[in-house]
Amino acid sequence: MQRRLMLQAAAGGTVLAAPAIVRAQQPQVRWRLASSWPKNLDTIYAAAEVVAKKVSAATNGNFEISVHGPGELVPALQVADAVQQGTVECAHTASVFFFGKDPTFALDGQVPFGMTSRQMTSWMYAGGGLPLLREFYRDYNIVNFPCGNTGTQMGGWFRKEIKSLADMKGLKFRIGGFGGVVLQRMGVVPQSIPAGDIYTALEKNTIDAAEFIGPYDDEKLGMHKIAKFYHYPSYWDPCGQITMYVNAKAFEALPKDYQQIFALACSEAHIDMQAKYDTLNPNALRRLVGGGAIVKPFPREVGVAAWKEANDLFAELSAKNATWRKIFDSFIKYRDDQVLWSRFAEGSFDSMMLSMKSVDRK
Amino acid sequence: MQRRLMLQAAAGGTVLAAPAIVRAQQPQVRWRLASSWPKNLDTIYAAAEVVAKKVSAATNGNFEISVHGPGELVPALQVADAVQQGTVECAHTASVFFFGKDPTFALDGQVPFGMTSRQMTSWMYAGGGLPLLREFYRDYNIVNFPCGNTGTQMGGWFRKEIKSLADMKGLKFRIGGFGGVVLQRMGVVPQSIPAGDIYTALEKNTIDAAEFIGPYDDEKLGMHKIAKFYHYPSYWDPCGQITMYVNAKAFEALPKDYQQIFALACSEAHIDMQAKYDTLNPNALRRLVGGGAIVKPFPREVGVAAWKEANDLFAELSAKNATWRKIFDSFIKYRDDQVLWSRFAEGSFDSMMLSMKSVDRK
């Protein structure tokens, strides 16, 4: 329309005006986003919509991103390939899904005994994590942006209470991602089952236990009705960082201001998802307990065994995968520094708060 | 506009060029920002520069914000008045500075035994905090944006070790903000001294102790050379949220896309500051210990006494200030929910990590 207008104007003798209009017109961009998340996981799915909404508002509707659920454009677990090949411009996913391609992907999401949400965010934004991962993703034709986090997850739902490490042996446990590798080394039998099928698998005794995310999301699957022991924490998912993948050529083709706006919108969604989970989880946990869930910590020996296996696995990966080693070295040094520092201000304050909750503040 | 333009074009007149340029040209906006922070507090000062840089990049340099240190345009503690009156369009400050106007300001920054950094951010973004505070600031002609956090602060530097609550009585303690009110009720004698004068005041025995922020900032003041006992945590500053104030009329006058871009840039700076503090504090703490600092927790009875006084103060404020009460009720319920929930996934994982640090992971 604008172009036609200019031609009309030129025909009318105002040639001068045309270049001015061309320069100032904001470019029209339309992108398609493939999400790995079903819409009923509303908190995690919403982050892509937050990005689309903010980008649109910040460009007066000139840069629009349409958000598509799994299967609409590409299946949930093929979004990395789709972005790499340019089938879609971008995708919202968990990098840990792709650790089969290279375990390094997990360092962009979560690894057992890795970083918690705030630690991970700080490593990404100021601790060198983002530049290292950008370099890693270059080989995949992807530009990555942190775009959400679930916080530390719960350990899972068990039909029988876990009272010792021995109770974990031989357990058919639905678990996704990298954590399953560690648990397998502990004698657990990891099962790969889509979220929608977990309830039935528990009901039919196909599996003994299942982990998913945390109270707000777990509640929707109804697992507490069958497997009432809700053990915590998830040593294998100390956080769940979610990532926006953008096709590198599509990103480079954007005007510089749109690149900046897109990056800012991802940061906004990054904060927003964690904030929503923090807000929704406490009441979901209350409802689960009201519905019969028995919330119990794992026995310490389960954590200690997982710690040993995780560290052995990390050492093996570092010995044979230089890409992993380079990024892991930065990741784990940062984690160690944060654990050290948390001992003082943040951690000691948190401990005090936990102990004071028994004192009436009224 | 578009329709009129087309009609003019159709008419073939030369009138049409001017409106087309006016419509499409991105508006030029120039704002001045008054920071309450000296430039040598580089982490906290930088947030305003991050906002300015991101806003410029996202608008192709059409919306520029010049950042000014304290005294350049207005003194550090008069920035709220300056924004309210429209002397400057915006300011980067700590709301707790203004609790003398109304204690409610402190709920936008930090209160003793209040929320930690992540909790505060989640309350602001998803827990109802931001809408409540926006309503509060309306009377001051201010639109507020979360724009940084220091994390939980350290308790302060003391010339003599605090071994009991009795050691706090009569102590001349340099402390800013709301925490001083609580400490005064415990028998401490709070002192108001600018950061630049703390070292001399300690050296000349004018004060017995001083608190500031955390390792990275405290190191610059050199307090550890005179008052070597570094007690933790700051029960009075469980976080230090920093805020961007914008004059309401100036904000309303912005085009909608610039409003969105400004808000996104504040969120980016909000993440960025906490990430920088998390990254810089561990090594700063190491250097301080290397320089003679003795890092010790406060005796538990100091925390318990502060807890009691803080809660009594909150009850008094709630009884006489309806504005405080409305926002505090939301604030404290959110805190309680977060403390409850942290007991499970996040907190139990953190505890495990602290205990496992003694186990060699190699």
Side-chain angles (χ1 to χ4, degrees), chain A residues 183-201:
Chain A
L183 282 164
Q184 192 161 26
R185 298 167 71 117
M186 291 165 60
V188 173
V189 185
Q191 307 284 310
S192 182
I193 296 172
D197 299 337
I198 295 176
Y199 185 91
T200 310

Side-chain angles (χ1 to χ4, degrees), chain A residues 122 267-268 279 286 334 337, chain B residues 267-268 278-279 286 334 337:
Chain A
S122 292
S267 288
E268 180 80 18
T279 301
R286 285 189 183 99
Y334 200 88
D337 270 4
Chain B
S267 289
E268 179 80 18
D278 286 346
T279 301
R286 287 190 181 99
Y334 200 88
D337 270 4

Side-chain angles (χ1 to χ4, degrees), chain B residues 114-142:
Chain B
M115 285 193 263
T116 57
S117 179
R118 176 168 145 194
Q119 294 168 355
M120 188 72 185
T121 294
S122 293
W123 179 62
M124 292 297 286
Y125 280 80
L130 189 57
L132 282 168
L133 286 165
R134 284 270 166 90
E135 189 187 338
F136 166 69
Y137 280 115
R138 204 169 293 147
D139 289 345
Y140 295 89
N141 211 20
I142 287 171

Side-chain angles (χ1 to χ4, degrees), chain B residues 106-312:
Chain B
L107 294 171
D108 182 39
Q110 67 253 52
V111 297
F113 298 98
M115 285 193 263
T116 57
S117 179
R118 176 168 145 194
Q119 294 168 355
M120 188 72 185
T121 294
S122 293
W123 179 62
M124 292 297 286
Y125 280 80
L130 189 57
L132 282 168
L133 286 165
R134 284 270 166 90
E135 189 187 338
F136 166 69
Y137 280 115
R138 204 169 293 147
D139 289 345
Y140 295 89
N141 211 20
I142 287 171
V143 183
N144 62 303
F145 298 85
C147 198
N149 205 311
T150 62
T152 304
Q153 301 186 5
M154 291 290 280
W157 298 90
F158 297 77
R159 281 196 282 121
K160 288 184 188 164
E161 183 180 351
I162 301 297
K163 294 181 178 172
S164 69
L165 177 58
D167 290 341
M168 296 287 283
K169 308 270 182 197
L171 205 73
K172 283 178 284 177
F173 186 28
R174 186 272 177 190
I175 180 169
F178 208 56
V181 180
V182 167
L183 282 164
Q184 190 161 28
R185 297 165 73 116
M186 291 163 61
V188 173
V189 186
Q191 307 283 311
S192 181
I193 296 173
D197 299 338
I198 295 176
Y199 185 92
T200 310
L202 281 169
E203 197 176 34
K204 291 187 176 169
N205 287 344
T206 311
I207 55 174
D208 304 305
E211 70 102 55
F212 190 46
I213 300 177
Y216 181 71
D217 291 324
D218 290 9
E219 188 185 16
K220 294 175 189 165
L221 301 186
M223 297 178 283
H224 60 289
K225 293 172 196 157
I226 312 172
K228 65 181 179 179
F229 292 98
Y230 199 19
H231 284 291
Y232 65 87
S234 173
Y235 292 119
W236 24 96
D237 296 329
C239 80
Q241 180 169 280
I242 310 301
T243 305
M244 183 71 80
Y245 287 169
V246 180
N247 176 274
K249 281 186 188 159
F251 192 70
E252 283 156 24
L254 284 181
K256 293 286 178 212
D257 54 338
Y258 286 16
Q259 288 182 354
Q260 181 63 76
I261 287 168
F262 185 86
L264 291 174
C266 289
S267 289
E268 179 80 18
H270 186 66
I271 302 181
D272 185 68
M273 189 196 296
Q274 186 64 73
K276 282 178 180 155
Y277 270 117
D278 286 346
T279 301
L280 294 165
N281 274 326
N283 277 337
L285 185 64
R286 287 190 181 99
R287 288 192 300 269
L288 286 167
V289 169
I294 299 170
V295 184
K296 294 219 165 189
F298 278 118
R300 183 172 166 81
E301 62 180 357
V302 170
V304 172
W307 169 266
K308 183 191 172 302
E309 295 300 342
N311 287 315
D312 287 353

